[in-house]
Structures are given as C-alpha cells and as structure tokens.
Amino acid sequence: QVVGGKVKKPGKRGRKPAKIDLKAKLERSRQSARECRARKKLRYQYLEELVSSRERAICALREELEMYKQWCMAMDQGKIPSEIKALLTGEEQGKAQQNSTKLAKAAKTDANSSNP
C-alpha cells in the first residue's frame, strides 16, 4: 500500500513496545532521582544564602534606625548630636555621602541577587 509516496505495511498502528532492559530502566530512574536531589539541594542552599543576606541587611537597617531615633530623642531634649553638627558644618559631608552610597549599593546588590 502506497500512501503519500511511502510504502506502508499493513498491521498494527502506533508505537511498538520497546524492549528495554529492566536494569537499564531502573538505573536511569536512579540517576534521575540523584539529579533531582542535587538540584533540590542547590536550590535550598541558594535560598538559605538569600535569607541570610536579607537578615544581615535588616540588622544593618535596624541599627541605622535606632541611631536616627536616638538623634531625634536628643534633639527633642534640645541637644544637637555631634554627628548632625558635623553634617551641618560640612566637615563630615564626604563621609555621610560615602555611607549613603554604600547603603544604596548594598540595597541594589540585595535586589539584584533576589532575581537570578
């Protein structure tokens, strides 16, 4: 029988059952399971590193917030913290800019690391 330029043999349709060696099939299954476990382990390591970096960033921000709270409490009592005096006089302006730049870079780094 000729169909579309190809000779077809009469008989059953579809795939013929493959004669796969049972041992080979089991070995492929084991290998697949090993690879799956390895991928899972890597994924968990990545997530743990991400969590720890975020926790460090949170601690740094809490410390900064506490410093600002103390400054505000001091100013409410009529005292001007020396850090603010230095900022106002411009002596520490370069250092303040460096600190804010470092914080901005750290925030960008954390934001970029969360998007693999």
Side-chain angles (χ1 to χ4, degrees), residues 5-94:
K6 295 183 180 179
V7 177
K8 293 217 172 195
K9 297 179 183 176
K12 295 182 180 179
R13 289 182 170 180
R15 291 180 92 177
K16 294 184 181 177
K19 297 179 181 178
I20 299 175
D21 187 19
L22 186 59
K23 288 183 181 180
K25 185 175 180 180
L26 288 173
E27 184 55 37
R28 278 199 314 270
S29 176
R30 288 186 196 110
Q31 181 64 29
S32 177
R34 278 191 291 269
E35 291 170 0
C36 180
R37 286 190 295 271
R39 285 191 305 270
K40 184 177 179 181
K41 186 177 179 181
L42 286 173
R43 184 171 53 248
Y44 275 91
Q45 285 175 348
Y46 164 75
L47 291 173
E48 286 174 1
E49 290 171 7
L50 187 62
V51 166
S52 66
S53 71
R54 296 292 163 91
E55 286 174 346
R56 285 191 303 272
I58 288 170
C59 287
L61 289 170
R62 282 192 177 142
E63 289 174 6
E64 186 180 356
L65 178 63
E66 189 59 35
M67 177 185 66
Y68 291 140
K69 282 181 181 178
Q70 289 176 359
W71 287 5
C72 289
M73 289 184 344
M75 290 192 321
D76 286 343
Q77 295 172 355
K79 301 174 186 173
I80 298 177
S82 60
E83 294 90 350
I84 294 179
K85 284 182 183 177
L87 286 173
L88 292 174
T89 59
E91 295 172 4
E92 294 283 325
Q93 192 171 10

Side-chain angles (χ1 to χ4, degrees), residues 54 57 61 100-114:
R54 296 292 163 91
L61 289 170
S100 64
T101 304
K102 286 180 185 177
L103 288 173
K105 285 182 181 178
K108 285 182 183 178
T109 302
D110 284 341
N112 289 340
S113 67
S114 67

